[in-house]
Amino acid sequence: MSAATATPPRGRSRPSTWSRTSATGRALLTTVLTTGVTTFMFLPLLALHLSATGTPVGRVGLLIGLLSLCGQGFSVLSGHLVDRVGARTTTTAGFACRIVGYLLISAGGAALVPGIAAVGIGGSLLVLSVKTRLVIEAAAHDDTRGMLALRSTFGNVGVVLGPVLGAVAYPLGFDAILAAAVLSHLGLGFHLTFLAKDEAAQAPADLAFAPAAPERKPDPGHTATAPGRRGPAVLFLAAVAYWALYSQLNAVIPLTARALTGTTVAITVVFTLNGALVLLFQYTLLRRFLGHLPPRTLLTAGFAAFAVAYLVLLPQAGWLSLLLFTVPATLAEMLIGPSLDELAVTTAPPRRTGRALGLLGLAGAIGSPLGAGLGTHLLQSLHGGPAVWLTVTTAAALAAAACLLLPRPAR
């Protein structure tokens, strides 16, 4: 741990990640929030809009799939662009691509397919470039874990607010939602392209425990590891496993929640509780209470939490099983996502951060449809019995054990 991040004297506390972040870093975090809001204003209503314009149901499904494919499937190339042309330039390209995409969707007709593809590709460019710029800034303060947790919190605010604002704005017309997305992207894109400067924030001058020239040493929250030969492969497989397990929340859990409670409102309760827990506790948990633990340990604990979550569904005890499932499942989400990012960043070769993060995006593109397909197949073939959850629990436990194959953090 560096002297600048050592335990402060009594009465002092380590400054928050937000307070140590530069004006540009705060603009980047605002971008995470705003793009999250506009994406989830637009995404849940896209199928309704397409159906209302006479698009056949089969084509609607293909267009929604195209959006996901372009968003996650393009991530490796996005990461390559971040490393080759720079994160700042890639951010500008992401904003431009998304603005063009929203305008094409508004035009409709033959412009619909390229418009949806442009929105997906633009989202991939923005996610990876903004994350890379935030990580670079946080590295100056040995606060990579805090920044990744804060970024995740801002993103989840957008996930929670977006559908609500979209439902409020939808009576004004789908074009009003697209216009809000275009205007917000224009404003943020202009600021980050022409006004913002990429520079690390300085620690507040009044921190008596911060010396003038601190010695830079690895921080437990930003642990340097020796990836070896197996490290990247195990990390990639862990990311695939994470998205396969997480995809059950969208594919299998909604059907299970209805079966357990007899109401379709149950899944809304699950997602609301999940979002509230992430917003309230993720940043504090990762930065303050678990900041001394290496990401390898957090990753293992996260998959173990997933195993507990799915094991709780075995008794099929109605609302009780469903609510008890939500807590460890949310804990798994809070631990695994940022830990995968942290390991990818801290083990990546020099100037390969974008590609390392891009590979995690590719893992999501593989794991999400794979997990959803296998989960629904199990649910159908095993008729929703305990064997479904025993199988998923075993998969999560095996993933936790596999994480122990990751290289130990260097001391």
Side-chain angles (χ1 to χ4, degrees), residues 129-153:
S129 62
V130 168
K131 187 185 293 186
T132 301
R133 292 171 73 176
L134 288 172
V135 164
I136 290 171
E137 173 161 335
H141 304 292
D142 292 321
D143 195 19
T144 300
R145 180 174 300 174
M147 181 62 82
L148 288 170
L150 192 61
R151 176 197 167 276
S152 179
T153 300

Side-chain angles (χ1 to χ4, degrees), residues 292-318:
H292 62 288
L293 295 177
R296 174 179 179 264
T297 301
L298 297 181
L299 200 60
T300 304
F303 280 111
F306 253 144
V308 171
Y310 288 108
L311 189 64
V312 165
L313 293 174
L314 274 173
Q316 299 187 10

Side-chain angles (χ1 to χ4, degrees), residues 1 44 64 88 95 107 113 152 159 164 170 277 323 330 342 352 364 379 387:
M1 181 179 294
I64 300 296
R88 186 186 183 95
F95 276 120
V113 171
S152 179
V159 172
V164 176
Y170 191 63
L277 290 173
L323 294 176
T330 303
E342 186 178 349
R352 294 292 186 273
L379 192 68

Side-chain angles (χ1 to χ4, degrees), residues 145-226:
R145 180 174 300 174
M147 181 62 82
L148 288 170
L150 192 61
R151 176 197 167 276
S152 179
T153 300
F154 271 65
N156 277 290
V157 171
V159 172
V160 171
L161 286 181
V164 176
L165 294 177
V168 171
Y170 191 63
L172 301 176
F174 193 70
D175 284 345
I177 295 175
L178 296 177
V182 169
L183 291 175
S184 64
H185 282 48
L186 280 172
L188 288 166
F190 180 84
H191 178 79
L192 289 173
T193 300
F194 299 106
L195 303 179
K197 296 180 180 179
D198 285 52
E199 55 186 2
Q202 298 299 317
D206 62 346
L207 295 181
F209 59 89
E215 180 186 359
R216 296 296 303 281
K217 295 179 181 179
D219 183 279
H222 186 76
T223 307
T225 61

